[in-house]
Amino acid sequence: MEGDRFYRYEENFLNCSRIISRCLAQLEAARGDVDKVIASSVEIEGELSEAEGYLRAMDIEFRTMSSAEKRSAQQKVGDYKEEYKQLQQHFHTSKFNAESEALKNSPTARVKLLTSNQKLDQATATLEQSRMLIAQTETIGDTIITDMGTQKETLMDAREKVKETKGFTVDAKRILRMMSNRAVMHKIFVIFTIVVLFAGICAITYYGFIVKK
């Protein structure tokens, strides 16, 4: 189940990456058209934010996977983090170049770009708050996972101790049974000895006193 969630996050991340690459091509082909620059930039910002969310989700999810899948998933997360970093750098470079060209071609482009960038900054601030909440949630999730691991180890130790105690109990029962059997045998031997001695006394008394008379 955990693996299914990881692969869903992975598919969504890759889809965001494809959209970002397409929008980057559109941004680079804007040729100074400020409206195209703004539209492409806004779409890329949104996709980058979504991609980062899926990347964080994968980063959390792979830690709960089985050891057989965990190493492969961890490697993928590392590769996707590098891909995301490159997409960000590509976007910032392309955006700067596209805005510079737009400013050269249109005197009114500056106002549009400033307004657009202000809105993007506000959206980025909101996203940053969301990222902080996600980071806090991630920390809590890590703590819970660690606690669960510790509890699992504690339960496993307790289980082993129960097994050991059960083994000791079985041994104790076996020893007590042996002691009980020995006690019974000893009692039988004592009774037998008493009977033999009593029979001997009776025989001595009979032959010593009655027969001689």
Side-chain angles (χ1 to χ4, degrees):
M1 187 174 181
E2 293 85 355
D4 292 340
R5 285 198 298 268
F6 179 88
Y7 295 125
R8 284 199 299 272
Y9 295 145
E10 180 184 22
E11 183 178 354
N12 290 331
F13 173 83
L14 292 174
N15 186 53
C16 288
S17 178
R18 286 190 291 268
I19 294 173
I20 292 168
S21 297
R22 187 190 68 224
C23 291
L24 283 171
Q26 293 173 354
L27 180 62
E28 292 170 348
R31 298 184 182 279
D33 188 328
V34 66
D35 292 326
K36 290 182 179 180
V37 171
I38 292 172
S40 297
S41 298
V42 169
E43 188 170 1
I44 292 171
E45 285 277 4
E47 292 298 328
L48 281 171
S49 177
E50 285 193 33
E52 183 180 11
Y54 292 128
L55 191 57
R56 285 181 177 273
M58 283 190 287
D59 195 25
I60 294 173
E61 197 64 34
F62 89 84
R63 302 178 193 182
T64 64
M65 298 172 71
S66 63
S67 56
E69 297 177 311
K70 191 172 185 178
R71 181 174 296 180
S72 175
Q74 186 176 9
Q75 180 63 43
K76 284 185 176 182
V77 170
D79 292 340
Y80 292 147
K81 284 182 177 180
E82 182 62 29
E83 180 179 347
Y84 177 79
K85 183 179 178 182
Q86 291 176 2
L87 287 172
Q88 274 189 316
Q89 292 173 346
H90 190 176
F91 169 59
H92 292 315
T93 302
S94 299
K95 184 170 181 284
F96 176 80
N97 293 335
E99 288 179 349
S100 298
E101 187 175 356
L103 288 172
K104 291 178 183 178
N105 296 340
S106 174
T108 60
R110 181 179 297 276
V111 176
K112 287 186 177 182
L113 290 173
L114 286 174
T115 303
S116 174
N117 286 331
Q118 286 175 355
K119 291 181 179 179
L120 284 174
D121 289 340
Q122 291 173 356
T124 301
T126 303
L127 289 172
E128 191 60 33
Q129 291 178 352
S130 300
R131 289 168 187 166
M132 290 176 63
L133 290 174
I134 292 172
Q136 292 175 359
T137 304
E138 181 180 353
T139 301
I140 294 172
D142 289 343
T143 303
I144 292 173
I145 291 172
T146 302
D147 290 343
M148 289 178 65
T150 303
Q151 291 175 4
K152 182 179 179 181
E153 291 179 0
T154 303
L155 289 173
M156 292 297 292
D157 291 341
R159 183 179 178 184
E160 291 299 323
K161 289 180 180 179
V162 168
K163 286 183 178 179
E164 291 178 2
T165 303
K166 186 176 180 181
F168 292 150
T169 302
V170 171
D171 291 340
K173 285 182 179 180
R174 181 171 55 81
I175 293 170
L176 288 173
R177 191 179 297 112
M178 291 175 60
M179 292 175 65
S180 177
N181 292 337
R182 288 179 182 178
V184 170
M185 293 299 295
H186 181 70
K187 188 179 291 186
I188 292 173
F189 178 74
V190 170
I191 292 171
F192 177 76
T193 303
I194 292 172
V195 170
V196 171
L197 291 174
F198 181 74
I201 291 170
C202 290
I204 291 170
T205 302
Y206 176 76
Y207 286 104
F209 293 97
I210 297 176
V211 175
K212 285 184 179 181
K213 292 180 179 182

